Amino acid sequence: MKVAVQLDRRRRTLLYTGLSVTVVLAVVIAGSFAVDAASTTQLAGRNLSPSWAHPFGTDRLGRDMFARVLSGLRLSLVVGVSAAAISGVLAVLMACAAAVGGRVVDRAITWVVDLFLALPHLVLLILLAFALGGGTRAVIIAVAITHWPSLTRVLRGHARHVVSSDYVAISRQLGRGRWWIARRHVAPQLLGHFLVGTVLLFPHAILHEAALSFLGLGVDPAEPSIGVLLAESMRFLSAGAWWLAVLPGLCLLVVVKLVDAIGENVRALLDPRSHHL
């Protein structure tokens, strides 16, 4: 009976993960096809409220907001994936170095991690994006640099546990070097944690990209990112054009929750004991 319940929970988790991934991929594909429509202006139909012809209404230049939201979500997902992947790779490299590099390297990496975690996160993001000149590349670099420390702390603990195992001690007795052990023993054992951690970093990367774009330090203002759409909507909210802010914001929250659900479900599948699957 218990095994059957566990199998049912695992199937439900797989189903939820599959549905979430499908929706996110659908958004990316639809956003790719909506790029041209998102930039098409119709000055005769400016700031129209939601209707059958324009489900999300139109903006100040008569551009279809539904197409712009889809294109903006695709851009946010691309930026989020890039930033989260870079952060994950940095975290793995730092964790491996801390585990096999000796006490001095471990203390240095721990100090850097504590330093980054002690700094105000959003302030550091803004300073980095400003110093890098803004734009999509600056956002990716700023988000990537500021998101690796928390994952590094988690991976470092697992890496140290691997290094203390018997088979690593045998490899050392056989004359294997530190970096050989890091490549062959430590890094493969961190793969699952790296995957889950990177996916869980993804929602934070998307939200911070939107925040930087909203402040004018993110992607090019000509690009229809969600942050840019929200920033543009501020001038028209007092005129009653609520759809310019509410609908893009809701879509961003839905996508963030879907990506977060993917990460939680993947963690549940890789570590069933933590979620009682």
Side-chain angles (χ1 to χ4, degrees):
M1 188 62 156
K2 183 177 180 180
V3 173
V5 172
Q6 289 176 342
L7 289 176
D8 289 339
R9 290 178 178 174
R10 184 173 292 276
R11 291 193 188 99
R12 287 200 301 269
T13 303
L14 286 171
L15 177 62
Y16 295 153
T17 304
L19 289 175
S20 300
V21 172
T22 301
V23 173
V24 172
L25 289 178
V27 169
V28 174
I29 295 172
S32 301
F33 287 107
V35 172
D36 293 334
S39 59
T40 302
T41 60
Q42 295 180 355
L43 298 181
R46 294 180 294 177
N47 287 340
L48 295 178
S49 60
S51 62
W52 288 109
H54 304 284
F56 284 14
T58 61
D59 67 355
R60 60 189 176 87
L61 297 177
R63 295 171 293 192
D64 184 70
M65 282 298 295
F66 183 66
R68 289 179 66 77
V69 169
L70 288 176
S71 181
L73 289 175
R74 180 193 65 85
L75 180 61
S76 296
L77 288 169
V78 170
V79 172
V81 167
S82 303
I86 295 173
S87 292
V89 172
L90 286 175
V92 170
L93 293 176
M94 291 293 184
C96 290
V100 303
R103 183 175 300 177
V104 175
V105 176
D106 183 37
R107 287 181 176 177
I109 292 176
T110 301
W111 182 83
V112 173
V113 168
D114 291 339
L115 175 65
F116 270 84
L117 293 177
L119 296 173
H121 197 75
L122 187 57
V123 174
L124 183 59
L125 269 172
I126 293 173
L127 290 176
L128 286 173
F130 180 78
L132 294 171
T136 304
R137 178 185 294 181
V139 172
I140 293 175
I141 295 174
V143 174
I145 290 177
T146 56
H147 283 69
W148 63 269
S150 57
L151 181 57
T152 299
R153 176 174 287 181
V154 176
L155 295 180
R156 173 181 168 273
H158 292 289
R160 289 176 62 85
H161 178 72
V162 174
V163 169
S164 63
S165 60
D166 294 336
Y167 60 89
V168 172
I170 293 174
S171 296
R172 285 173 172 167
Q173 292 176 359
L174 293 175
R176 301 298 186 182
R178 295 178 176 179
W179 300 113
W180 188 95
I181 293 174
R183 291 195 312 271
R184 297 298 182 88
H185 292 317
V186 180
Q189 295 295 326
L190 299 180
L191 182 60
H193 301 287
F194 160 77
L195 177 62
V196 174
T198 301
V199 175
L200 292 176
L201 285 177
F202 192 15
H204 297 277
I206 296 175
L207 290 175
H208 286 139
E209 178 274 326
L212 289 175
S213 298
F214 180 81
L215 295 173
L217 298 172
V219 300
D220 188 345
E223 296 285 346
S225 73
I226 300 300
V228 172
L229 296 182
L230 294 176
E232 292 177 349
S233 70
M234 294 297 102
R235 292 179 290 174
F236 302 96
L237 284 179
S238 59
W242 56 268
W243 58 90
L244 297 178
V246 173
L247 297 179
L250 287 177
C251 290
L252 178 64
L253 290 178
V254 169
V255 170
V256 168
K257 290 299 294 181
L258 286 173
V259 176
D260 187 62
I262 293 172
E264 292 292 341
N265 290 332
V266 170
R267 179 164 61 181
L269 291 171
L270 294 178
D271 189 11
R273 291 174 298 178
S274 64
H275 286 70
H276 305 291
L277 291 182

